[in-house]
Amino acid sequence: MSAEVNKMNEHAQSPDEVQEELVKKKGGCSIIWNWFGFKISDVNQQTVLCRLCRRVVAAKGGNTSNLFNHLKTVHVREYEDCTKMRATDIAQSRAQVNTMNEHAESPDEVQEELVKKKGGSSIIWNWFGFKISDVNQQTVLCRLCRRIVAAKGGNTSNLFNHLKTVHLREYEDCTKMRATDIAQSG
């Protein structure tokens, strides 16, 4: 654990003190946020706190690995509940995507033009989009194979993984373009 987190935990509220309500991460869709949150006064959501023990847990860049590890090592029963809920959530998401793909257009049908994600700045949106009729942009489609790809909460990891596993050449092009963008902006 970093020295900064240790220092924050030293100054954390004692159980006797009145504890400020914790709120979930803005845009956080992971099940883990049921056990972690931020003080309401932490408007930039910089310091993640465990709802159970109020300890500060590092979650740099929104990475939730440390949050799962904290539950696993400190709150074993809650970790077991979390992993069960997570497995159920993943299974339901996969079933939903499979059902949507079964009802997707066949290549012979007329295909509606796809538009990029509103406000989406990632290079990945060159390969994915939404039907024009999907005004709320709920269902992400691959421009190459028209398959539905889950991108819960705007997370693009599944989109990159889809290119990597289904369209390798395009994935390589995408990663080159992404590296160039990062180099130019840095």
Side-chain angles (χ1 to χ4, degrees), residues 143-154:
R143 293 178 186 275
L144 302 167
C145 65
R146 301 294 276 206
R147 293 209 54 200
I148 295 167
V149 181
K152 199 170 186 179

Side-chain angles (χ1 to χ4, degrees), residues 23-36 38 45 62-64 67-68 82 85-90 92-93 138 150-158:
V23 295
K24 284 187 178 181
K25 179 174 177 62
K26 294 173 192 163
C29 57
S30 173
I31 198 77
I32 198 69
W33 293 110
N34 290 332
W35 289 272
F36 294 89
F38 302 89
Q45 297 192 334
N63 187 320
T64 59
L67 307 182
F68 283 102
C82 178
M85 291 172 71
R86 188 178 187 202
T88 301
D89 193 35
I90 290 169
Q92 288 173 345
S93 293
Q138 297 293 312
K152 199 170 186 179
N155 188 324
T156 59
S157 298
N158 285 350

Side-chain angles (χ1 to χ4, degrees), residues 85-136:
M85 291 172 71
R86 188 178 187 202
T88 301
D89 193 35
I90 290 169
Q92 288 173 345
S93 293
R94 286 183 179 154
Q96 184 179 15
V97 168
N98 288 338
T99 300
M100 289 189 285
N101 277 326
E102 288 170 7
H103 294 86
E105 303 168 340
S106 72
D108 298 332
E109 293 180 52
V110 175
Q111 294 184 348
E112 184 178 349
E113 180 185 352
L114 300 182
V115 294
K116 285 187 178 182
K117 179 174 178 59
K118 295 173 192 162
S121 58
S122 174
I123 198 77
I124 199 68
W125 294 110
N126 289 332
W127 289 272
F128 295 88
F130 302 89
K131 289 182 179 181
I132 294 170
S133 59
D134 183 3
V135 293
N136 294 325

